[in-house]
Amino acid sequence: MFVLVLSSLALSCRHKPRTGSVHDAAFEGDLRTVTALVESDPDLVFKKDKDGNTPLHLSSQAGYKEVSAFLLAGRADVNARNKDGNTPLLIAAAMGHKDVAELLIANKAEMEAKDKNGETPLHRAAYDGHKDIAELLLANKADVNIKDNTGWTPLGCAAQEGHKEVAEFLVAHKARVNLRDRVGATPLHYATVKGKRDLVEFLLANKAEIGAKDQDGRTPLHYAAAAEYKDVVELLLAAKADIHARDKDGDTPLHDAASKGQKEVAEVLIAHKAAVNARNHEGYTPLYYAAEGGQKDVAEVLLAHKADANAVDRNGISPLHWTAMNDHADVMEVLLANKARINAKEKDGLTSLHFAAGLGYKDVTLLLLAHKADVDSTDNDGETPLNLAMAKDHKEIVEILRQHGGHE
């Protein structure tokens, strides 16, 4: 999905061509030098630099209409491609040079020319928010619903970048709102993660499928929940988005909010009756994700709304185990304050102290011991936390455990 970002940056960040004075002159808009060089050697209009750019590519990129017109009059190939498959029109569209684009089209530039990523001039114009270029291209019969190699349409590009005016124009010209890309996502999916409430509202008003699922089963609400824009989440919920929708892993939007540390979004979802203890296919609750990711604020919100601090997954692992495995002492404190069982064992008999000691995490080891964790608890193989610390040569942890009465 980020192909267009990279291609646009590649175009906008190239400061000066490096090969051949005719290329330099074209890029700098030096018509006098270009004229003199081409008159002395007409074939220079076809010459390519190391990136495969002709002088026309570079004058189009820099927006010099007069230079471009001179090169075209000298039989420059209007549809020449550089190494990335870009034609001069693709470049002019990305850069927003309408007058140059008009000139190229008048000289029979291919409207549906695709670069190596399958992007057309209309994709470029939509992605970079150039409504005037989009208008020009559609007036010349560009395909409004054409897809690139990732399945993105121009509308998908506009939605991804939050360009509402471009999106409105494309929809007014029969862009299909619910076309899916290669991963099954629609423009609405992408609009939600940009935080553009007005664009999301516009797409919904034009019959965007609020419950559309991508190939991973994620709805626009899943996408929005993972982002930081609670107003978009509220808008989707007001439009009857399914707060209990599950993706292919069984995750709900609240799972996604917890995973990404979106406290305010989690609060909104819970206020709308999201299931705080919903389990995915592995048995993970939203609190698991908060514990695993060290999301203290989200963990506090979940626990305040009766999240089960002692829920276990299919392997018997609890949120407290996750904090020990990931060295999240602050979340561990919150869990312990909410009566997480400190000596709970997973399927192999390992306690949180086993994990902390075996991984060499000093802070969580000390915290567990301060809360009276069983220093000599044994796993299914008879190993104590001290055994595991010794096996991994965590000398400081070994000393701490011995000071607290630990045995092999």
Side-chain angles (χ1 to χ4, degrees):
M1 72 177 67
F2 300 107
V3 167
L4 287 166
V5 177
L6 296 173
S7 62
S8 294
L9 286 175
L11 289 171
S12 62
C13 293
R14 184 187 294 124
H15 296 295
K16 184 177 180 181
R18 301 175 183 174
T19 307
S21 60
V22 69
H23 293 87
D24 293 337
F27 186 75
E28 294 165 0
D30 186 348
L31 180 59
R32 179 179 297 179
T33 300
V34 171
T35 300
L37 290 169
V38 172
E39 286 181 347
S40 66
D41 183 358
D43 286 341
L44 286 177
V45 297
F46 306 114
K47 185 177 181 180
K48 292 188 174 185
D49 67 11
K50 67 180 182 63
D51 296 313
N53 293 309
T54 65
L56 184 59
H57 280 97
L58 299 173
S59 62
S60 298
Q61 178 186 336
Y64 291 116
K65 181 179 179 181
E66 289 186 1
V67 174
S68 298
F70 173 78
L71 293 167
L72 287 166
R75 298 181 300 111
D77 183 358
V78 72
N79 292 309
R81 295 178 179 273
N82 65 15
K83 289 183 178 179
D84 292 323
N86 290 310
T87 64
L89 182 57
L90 275 159
I91 293 175
M95 302 306 294
H97 299 314
K98 183 180 179 182
D99 56 346
V100 175
E102 289 174 327
L103 173 67
L104 295 168
I105 291 170
N107 281 270
K108 301 184 178 180
E110 293 179 23
M111 299 300 299
E112 311 299 351
K114 291 187 173 186
D115 69 4
K116 68 179 183 180
N117 300 310
E119 300 161 16
T120 67
L122 189 56
H123 284 98
R124 295 282 182 83
Y127 189 87
D128 289 305
H130 301 310
K131 181 185 174 185
D132 56 343
I133 303 290
E135 291 172 339
L136 172 65
L137 295 168
L138 287 179
N140 283 275
K141 304 188 184 306
D143 182 354
V144 73
N145 290 309
I146 195 166
K147 291 186 176 185
D148 68 9
N149 295 349
T150 67
W152 276 25
T153 63
L155 180 58
C157 296
Q160 164 66 18
E161 288 303 296
H163 297 309
K164 184 190 176 190
E165 287 190 2
V166 177
E168 289 174 329
F169 176 75
L170 294 171
V171 171
H173 286 76
K174 300 185 179 181
R176 293 168 60 187
V177 174
N178 292 306
L179 278 182
R180 297 170 182 268
D181 66 11
R182 197 165 61 187
V183 300
T186 67
L188 183 60
H189 282 92
Y190 293 118
T192 61
V193 298
K194 298 304 294 187
K196 300 289 186 179
R197 180 187 171 97
D198 57 346
L199 177 55
V200 173
E201 200 164 25
F202 167 74
L203 292 171
L204 290 172
N206 282 273
K207 301 183 179 180
E209 295 178 23
I210 198 167
K213 291 189 174 187
D214 68 12
Q215 68 181 16
D216 293 321
R218 302 181 71 225
T219 66
L221 186 58
H222 281 92
Y223 278 53
E228 61 183 316
Y229 307 108
K230 71 172 186 176
D231 58 333
V232 173
V233 171
E234 290 170 333
L235 175 61
L236 292 171
L237 291 171
K240 309 300 182 185
D242 183 2
I243 200 168
H244 303 300
R246 292 179 179 269
D247 66 16
K248 71 176 186 180
D249 296 319
D251 287 334
T252 66
L254 186 57
H255 281 92
D256 282 2
S259 175
K260 298 299 182 180
Q262 304 297 352
K263 176 187 175 184
E264 292 186 353
V265 171
E267 290 173 331
V268 169
L269 293 169
I270 291 170
H272 283 79
K273 311 297 184 185
V276 174
N277 289 307
R279 294 174 180 270
N280 69 9
H281 301 329
E282 294 295 324
Y284 300 166
T285 66
L287 184 58
Y288 274 65
Y289 285 135
E292 180 185 20
Q295 310 294 354
K296 179 185 176 185
D297 290 347
V298 176
E300 290 174 331
V301 168
L302 294 169
L303 289 163
H305 289 85
K306 300 184 180 181
D308 184 356
N310 291 301
V312 296
D313 68 10
R314 295 194 308 179
N315 295 310
I317 296 174
S318 71
L320 192 67
H321 287 112
W322 279 117
T323 61
M325 286 188 277
N326 290 281
D327 199 22
H328 297 314
D330 55 348
V331 183
M332 179 178 281
E333 284 193 280
V334 172
L335 291 169
L336 290 171
N338 282 271
K339 301 182 179 180
R341 290 192 288 271
I342 198 167
N343 293 313
K345 295 184 176 185
E346 47 84 79
K347 67 180 180 64
D348 294 319
L350 297 168
T351 66
S352 296
L353 187 58
H354 279 95
F355 285 118
L359 292 166
Y361 294 143
K362 179 180 177 181
D363 290 343
V364 289
T365 296
L366 288 170
L367 180 59
L368 289 165
L369 291 169
H371 282 79
K372 310 300 182 184
D374 183 357
V375 73
D376 283 329
S377 177
T378 55
D379 65 14
N380 294 353
D381 295 321
E383 303 285 355
T384 66
L386 180 57
N387 290 137
L388 299 186
M390 292 175 66
K392 295 295 183 179
D393 199 28
H394 298 310
K395 293 181 174 61
E396 188 174 17
I397 303 299
V398 168
E399 182 61 26
I400 289 170
L401 292 171
R402 281 178 170 159
Q403 289 173 356
H404 285 78
H407 297 87
E408 296 179 38

